[in-house]
Amino acid sequence: MFDALFDRFRAPLDFVGRIGLSAIFVLAGYGKIGGYAGTAGYMESMGVPGALLPLVILVELGGGIAVLLGLFTRPVALALAGFCILSGFLFHGSGDQMQQTMLMKNLAIAGGFLVLAATGPGAWSLDSRLKKK
């Protein structure tokens, strides 16, 4: 019963899911541009070179936009899953309960990206349009 309903709405559900996964990265990447010095300082305080910030912005903003558009979705989703896991342990790996919650958030988002990598972006995506050509 539910399979037919989900099949009928698969394309919009895939699209809304990509919006949800990409929003946090687009906003975070954009925010890091405006708060560049503060973000670089925070990274350095956590033992991560601030010189990596341009790469972080590229991954977050570029990867978020790619997922939103459904472009190169599977490899970008794998990269963002890895980014979530790595940044989760680097920045939220302490014993503090709030940091543990943030780590679990990163792991949950990584899980969403792994599902996206496995299933693909869906019909409402640039990948789908390019595949048809």
Side-chain angles (χ1 to χ4, degrees):
M1 177 172 132
F2 288 112
D3 285 345
L5 181 64
F6 286 118
D7 287 343
R8 181 175 179 192
F9 293 104
R10 180 178 179 124
L13 288 171
D14 287 338
F15 181 61
V16 170
R18 289 197 334 268
I19 292 170
L21 281 170
S22 66
I24 192 170
F25 289 91
V26 171
L27 295 172
Y30 182 74
K32 284 176 177 65
I33 295 169
Y36 194 93
T39 303
Y42 175 69
M43 288 173 64
E44 290 171 359
S45 77
M46 299 300 288
V48 177
L52 292 176
L53 184 52
L55 179 61
V56 170
I57 292 169
L58 177 65
V59 168
E60 288 184 344
L61 192 55
I65 291 170
V67 167
L68 177 65
L69 298 175
L71 182 63
F72 309 118
T73 307
R74 287 182 158 157
V76 170
L78 281 177
L80 286 173
F83 178 84
C84 286
I85 294 166
L86 180 63
S87 63
F89 283 106
L90 284 172
F91 295 100
H92 309 300
S94 72
D96 174 275
Q97 184 174 355
M98 178 57 83
Q99 293 303 317
Q100 290 297 307
T101 300
M102 297 297 283
L103 173 62
M104 294 307 295
K105 175 226 17 140
N106 276 47
L107 296 177
I109 294 169
F113 279 124
L114 292 174
V115 170
L116 182 60
T119 62
W124 293 2
S125 67
L126 291 178
D127 285 342
S128 179
R129 294 189 87 164
L130 291 171
K131 193 175 184 180
K132 290 178 183 176
K133 290 184 176 184

